[in-house]
Amino acid sequence: MKASQKFVSQIDGLTEHLNIRTTERLGRVTRVSGMTVEASGISAEIGAQCVIQIEEKKREIDAEVIGFDGSTIYLMPIHFLEGIKAGCAVRLREAESRCAVGEDLLGRVVDGLGNPIDGKGAINAETSVSLDSEAINPLARGAISEALDTGIKAINGCLTFGKGQRMGLIAGSGVGKSVLLGMLTRNTEADVVVIGLIGERGREVQDFVAQTLGDRGLKKSVVVAAPVDVSPVMRVKAAKLTHSIAEYFCNRGKNVLLLFDSLTRVAHAQREIGLAVGEPPTTKGYTPSVFSLLPKLIERVGVGVGDVGSISAFYTVLAEGDDRSDPIVDLSRATLDGQIMLSRELADSAHYPAIDLEGSISRVASTLIAADHFKSAQKLRRYWSLYLQKQDLIQVGAYTANTDPEIDEAIRLKSKIDKFLQQGSNEEISLADTVAELLQIIEG
């Protein structure tokens, strides 16, 4: 061997040795504060996946880089903190979060890391994708030009939903959001349904999969579950994973229905992470990163680019204390393509689904439906609103008939409108039948 070749070989060997040594000595835990682990001696970008090694118990804890300050990085464990102490070794596993995806995901329930939790065995992955996709040029997306049949009369008739649209379901707790999601899962025309259950109680996850969704709904669905008792990092990762899975099927030409419950729980998780790394709290304690994360998630949904499919989405938003001016409710209304307001008063009177037409809107409906359908839907909404405005006077007999023709018509049609807007959880009414019934009520 020539001297120059021998020298290069020695340098390569030394470099490899130094790389191994560097990997082994990457960093050490210096401090634990709340849910945050501080480490030094390691360089990693935000979002990188690391492992904290606990030698005494011979186990490892997965963690994600959530911030840094000079040479100190901030980590948040994905599962738990127990066993971590000063001096524990920290090594870099991956520079970014990725997930395994494939057709085998259909009919399965996975956690925020994509691991199956339904006891049906391993999932055969076809490829892996990043949890953070690049922003799509808005001019490259297709237009929302086709109505999507949801099988729910109130939505099909008055709040017509389009393929590729993003709609919010806004309500307080216990007014029927989960039941409505189950109806959408079973009734909506879609090739694949991707469901994200983020921050819910464990019992609710089980009930949704076993009862609300059922075997019929699960066959064409993928469920990502991150209950309230998992770490905030896991909840945010589950939110991103839900969208990554939807994008995978969309890019394969599928029309995907994304049901996401809920944006508010993701905001809570991101608030916990932001406060842990020292972000300044703003309205209701929400940190600036919350108002950055949610629009990025929502903008991943829509009609695909080129010849690929579409992602149509319903996002639930929790109006805490039925406060419709909550900052997350305001952000959702500003970012989504419409909202469906659910009313506690309607739910209390056994009016299901408890859709309140006042405050509910589909911003693309006028471009999707025929003129007679749109005109009748507007009339029905007006009669609904007029009756509610004069309800007290009508019920005590203080309103005099023939005073206002529109109010007279609202009173005459009230029972028919109520019947039209109500629907059993196991009923499915097509878009064509809905339009026919709506025209009969208004124009009949």
mmCIF file of all heavy atoms in Angstrom, residues 20 26 51 53 70 108 164 203 231 233 264 304 387 392 395:
data_model
loop_
_atom_site.group_PDB
_atom_site.id
_atom_site.type_symbol
_atom_site.label_atom_id
_atom_site.label_comp_id
_atom_site.label_asym_id
_atom_site.label_seq_id
_atom_site.Cartn_x
_atom_site.Cartn_y
_atom_site.Cartn_z
ATOM 1 N N ILE A 20 -17.709 7.066 16.911
ATOM 2 C CA ILE A 20 -18.245 6.106 17.864
ATOM 3 C C ILE A 20 -18.118 6.632 19.277
ATOM 4 O O ILE A 20 -19.059 6.584 20.072
ATOM 5 C CB ILE A 20 -17.523 4.741 17.720
ATOM 6 C CG1 ILE A 20 -17.856 4.123 16.361
ATOM 7 C CG2 ILE A 20 -17.924 3.797 18.838
ATOM 8 C CD1 ILE A 20 -17.059 2.868 16.060
ATOM 9 N N LEU A 26 -22.346 11.330 24.136
ATOM 10 C CA LEU A 26 -23.052 12.478 23.598
ATOM 11 C C LEU A 26 -23.404 13.539 24.629
ATOM 12 O O LEU A 26 -23.172 14.704 24.416
ATOM 13 C CB LEU A 26 -24.327 12.009 22.887
ATOM 14 C CG LEU A 26 -24.114 11.575 21.438
ATOM 15 C CD1 LEU A 26 -25.375 11.043 20.848
ATOM 16 C CD2 LEU A 26 -23.575 12.710 20.599
ATOM 17 N N VAL A 51 -32.584 9.641 23.454
ATOM 18 C CA VAL A 51 -32.783 8.559 24.415
ATOM 19 C C VAL A 51 -32.007 8.895 25.679
ATOM 20 O O VAL A 51 -30.826 9.250 25.617
ATOM 21 C CB VAL A 51 -32.307 7.212 23.840
ATOM 22 C CG1 VAL A 51 -32.316 6.141 24.928
ATOM 23 C CG2 VAL A 51 -33.177 6.788 22.676
ATOM 24 N N GLN A 53 -30.545 7.306 28.986
ATOM 25 C CA GLN A 53 -30.181 5.971 29.459
ATOM 26 C C GLN A 53 -30.104 5.940 30.983
ATOM 27 O O GLN A 53 -29.430 6.770 31.601
ATOM 28 C CB GLN A 53 -28.829 5.551 28.867
ATOM 29 C CG GLN A 53 -28.852 5.474 27.346
ATOM 30 C CD GLN A 53 -27.478 5.212 26.768
ATOM 31 O OE1 GLN A 53 -26.464 5.640 27.317
ATOM 32 N NE2 GLN A 53 -27.430 4.511 25.641
ATOM 33 N N GLY A 70 -28.306 28.207 24.852
ATOM 34 C CA GLY A 70 -26.862 28.062 24.731
ATOM 35 C C GLY A 70 -26.489 26.606 24.469
ATOM 36 O O GLY A 70 -26.983 25.966 23.537
ATOM 37 N N ARG A 108 -57.082 -0.454 12.274
ATOM 38 C CA ARG A 108 -56.232 -0.560 13.450
ATOM 39 C C ARG A 108 -56.325 0.677 14.337
ATOM 40 O O ARG A 108 -56.716 1.760 13.897
ATOM 41 C CB ARG A 108 -54.763 -0.757 13.030
ATOM 42 C CG ARG A 108 -54.525 -1.971 12.152
ATOM 43 C CD ARG A 108 -54.954 -3.284 12.823
ATOM 44 N NE ARG A 108 -54.254 -3.514 14.067
ATOM 45 C CZ ARG A 108 -53.083 -4.171 14.147
ATOM 46 N NH1 ARG A 108 -52.508 -4.642 13.041
ATOM 47 N NH2 ARG A 108 -52.507 -4.363 15.316
ATOM 48 N N GLY A 164 -62.736 18.231 0.601
ATOM 49 C CA GLY A 164 -61.542 19.038 0.814
ATOM 50 C C GLY A 164 -61.750 20.190 1.774
ATOM 51 O O GLY A 164 -60.827 20.972 2.038
ATOM 52 N N ARG A 203 -61.627 5.809 28.866
ATOM 53 C CA ARG A 203 -62.917 5.141 28.696
ATOM 54 C C ARG A 203 -63.613 5.622 27.437
ATOM 55 O O ARG A 203 -64.243 4.842 26.720
ATOM 56 C CB ARG A 203 -63.800 5.412 29.920
ATOM 57 C CG ARG A 203 -65.183 4.778 29.828
ATOM 58 C CD ARG A 203 -66.097 5.276 30.939
ATOM 59 N NE ARG A 203 -66.262 6.721 30.909
ATOM 60 C CZ ARG A 203 -67.077 7.365 30.054
ATOM 61 N NH1 ARG A 203 -67.756 6.677 29.146
ATOM 62 N NH2 ARG A 203 -67.190 8.672 30.100
ATOM 63 N N SER A 231 -48.140 12.006 28.032
ATOM 64 C CA SER A 231 -47.403 13.266 28.124
ATOM 65 C C SER A 231 -47.868 14.241 27.042
ATOM 66 O O SER A 231 -48.403 13.837 26.002
ATOM 67 C CB SER A 231 -45.909 13.003 27.951
ATOM 68 O OG SER A 231 -45.619 12.642 26.612
ATOM 69 N N VAL A 233 -46.066 15.859 24.985
ATOM 70 C CA VAL A 233 -45.322 15.578 23.756
ATOM 71 C C VAL A 233 -46.011 14.492 22.955
ATOM 72 O O VAL A 233 -46.153 14.587 21.723
ATOM 73 C CB VAL A 233 -43.872 15.165 24.075
ATOM 74 C CG1 VAL A 233 -43.183 14.612 22.836
ATOM 75 C CG2 VAL A 233 -43.084 16.355 24.599
ATOM 76 N N THR A 264 -58.718 21.627 20.849
ATOM 77 C CA THR A 264 -58.499 22.276 22.145
ATOM 78 C C THR A 264 -57.513 21.481 22.996
ATOM 79 O O THR A 264 -56.640 22.060 23.659
ATOM 80 C CB THR A 264 -59.831 22.422 22.892
ATOM 81 O OG1 THR A 264 -60.761 23.105 22.053
ATOM 82 C CG2 THR A 264 -59.652 23.198 24.177
ATOM 83 N N GLY A 304 -56.014 17.706 -2.800
ATOM 84 C CA GLY A 304 -54.620 17.416 -3.089
ATOM 85 C C GLY A 304 -54.089 18.168 -4.299
ATOM 86 O O GLY A 304 -54.824 18.821 -5.045
ATOM 87 N N TYR A 387 -87.862 32.619 14.754
ATOM 88 C CA TYR A 387 -88.647 31.988 15.819
ATOM 89 C C TYR A 387 -87.918 32.101 17.156
ATOM 90 O O TYR A 387 -88.537 32.394 18.188
ATOM 91 C CB TYR A 387 -88.910 30.520 15.480
ATOM 92 C CG TYR A 387 -89.857 29.856 16.459
ATOM 93 C CD1 TYR A 387 -91.224 29.860 16.232
ATOM 94 C CD2 TYR A 387 -89.384 29.265 17.639
ATOM 95 C CE1 TYR A 387 -92.111 29.286 17.145
ATOM 96 C CE2 TYR A 387 -90.250 28.696 18.555
ATOM 97 C CZ TYR A 387 -91.610 28.698 18.300
ATOM 98 O OH TYR A 387 -92.464 28.140 19.209
ATOM 99 N N ASP A 392 -90.003 33.824 23.276
ATOM 100 C CA ASP A 392 -90.637 34.165 24.556
ATOM 101 C C ASP A 392 -92.017 34.771 24.338
ATOM 102 O O ASP A 392 -92.993 34.425 25.045
ATOM 103 C CB ASP A 392 -89.760 35.133 25.339
ATOM 104 C CG ASP A 392 -88.475 34.480 25.823
ATOM 105 O OD1 ASP A 392 -88.429 33.236 25.862
ATOM 106 O OD2 ASP A 392 -87.514 35.210 26.137
ATOM 107 N N GLN A 395 -94.492 32.009 23.106
ATOM 108 C CA GLN A 395 -94.867 31.011 24.109
ATOM 109 C C GLN A 395 -95.814 31.552 25.171
ATOM 110 O O GLN A 395 -96.612 30.805 25.739
ATOM 111 C CB GLN A 395 -93.604 30.424 24.758
ATOM 112 C CG GLN A 395 -92.805 29.533 23.812
ATOM 113 C CD GLN A 395 -91.551 28.981 24.447
ATOM 114 O OE1 GLN A 395 -91.093 29.463 25.485
ATOM 115 N NE2 GLN A 395 -90.979 27.947 23.837
#
